[in-house]
Amino acid sequence: MMRTRPLKVALLGCGVVGSEVARIMTTHADDLTARIGAPVELAGVAVRRPSKVREGIAPELVTTDATALVKRGDIDVVVEVIGGIEPARTLITTAFEHGASVVSANKALLAQDGAALHAAAEDHDADLYYEAAVAGAIPLIRPLRESLAGDKINRVMGIVNGTTNFILDKMDSTGAGYQEALDEATALGYAEADPTADVEAFDAAAKAAILAGIAFHTRVRLDDVYREGMTEVTAADFASAKEMGCTIKLLAICERAADGGSVTARVHPAMIPLTHPLASVRGAYNAVFVESDAAGQLMFYGPGAGGAPTASAVLGDLVAVCRNRLSGATGPGESAYAALTVSPMGDVVTRYHISLDVADKPGVLAQVATVFAEHGVSIDTVRQQGKDGEASLVVVTHRASDASLTGTVEALRKLDTVRGVASIMRVEGE
């Protein structure tokens, strides 16, 4: 039976994503009503600049007092798309205290304070949904915490930032340098004027924390995620990758240790074989590769950012939360029962590609090989080129821990015959 009294929605933020949420709520109102079982009504929109004309939004709905809006008491769902830590954190907890459920796209806040927000939602019998926080329109959070809830997930590896993937794809396909590719991304609107959050991997690290927490039923905070940006990736690195049949991607990798007792979460550039499904993800698209015991290998692919794609994920959550509201139930909350140890990056085992500038004379290769052996790092392949007394030495290792590789590199730098370490890159996706 259809309920005639509308469910009231407060929208916090009306930028690129928020304006799309409001537009879809208006243009798809009849469909949303049919899918939910009751009408949904936009009851208020909190903004910073009230004088700006917002097409399709009645001026009387616009307010600068977000706190008063979430405190009204008649709001069923608060949609938070303002981002950042504060005032978003306070507004979300205030919404719970005043009887509302929350849909958020705030990856930074969830990565930092997800446990506290989930606890606040549970204390007030409210929902906290955040599909849009990780990969835009790609359904990922709900499959991980609902569809795969009966399975054991061992690894989540993916491209979760469209800006960095666009830049690396341009470097790969055109031979452009990092700055040239970044300039094009900025001109096309893929990169912000200040791209730091993207290119230094802060954005991807927050998403990795959220994914790891859900996949492994363990609390993983942003501080637990190893983060390495992509600003040092060069055209020479891509040339080396191509010689190995690889390309380079900025990857978020969350994995369970072989003994099952710990997990790791990390974000960094890595060489990946061209045969791996993630290698074919081009432009500003995102893709996440999930490996589990029963389901095997799954890949989720699609646009990971932008107003309409992100709004699609927000509206999906809004429908789910409204349905829960009507039935008097709540959806899945935090699942952290496993409480696994989050291991440091030094424990991570992977392959490495190391490029060294060395003296072009007899015995250099033997010296380098000895250093690797002394630190327990096995060499897979070596390639040496040189002339006029200088040479480059490219070493690809078998699997080794990050800590052992770090010790190896420190020892290599002390050799008189090693002029410098040109680059170090992990090799993933075997």
Side-chain angles (χ1 to χ4, degrees), residues 358-370 384 391 393 415 417-418:
V358 299
D360 186 17
K361 62 182 184 181
V364 173
L365 179 55
Q367 284 185 323
V368 169
T370 297
Q384 184 172 0
L393 191 65
L415 293 178
T417 51
V418 174

Side-chain angles (χ1 to χ4, degrees), residues 276-318:
H276 194 281
L278 291 177
S280 62
V281 178
R282 312 302 296 268
Y285 276 74
N286 283 192
V288 177
F289 201 71
V290 178
E291 300 176 27
S292 69
D293 275 1
Q297 298 178 332
L298 307 168
M299 191 167 99
F300 301 82
Y301 169 85
T310 306
S312 171
V314 170
L315 266 294
D317 279 350
L318 179 62

Side-chain angles (χ1 to χ4, degrees), residues 3 8 34 70 106 132 149 175 191 216 246 278 290 304 338 347 360 364 377 386 394:
R3 192 181 87 164
K8 294 189 177 183
V70 300
N106 196 329
F216 306 130
C246 294
L278 291 177
V290 178
D347 293 348
D360 186 17
V364 173
V377 179
V394 175

Side-chain angles (χ1 to χ4, degrees), residues 314-329:
V314 170
L315 266 294
D317 279 350
L318 179 62
V319 169
V321 170
C322 286
R323 286 171 175 170
N324 291 343
R325 198 86 172 174
L326 288 179
S327 65

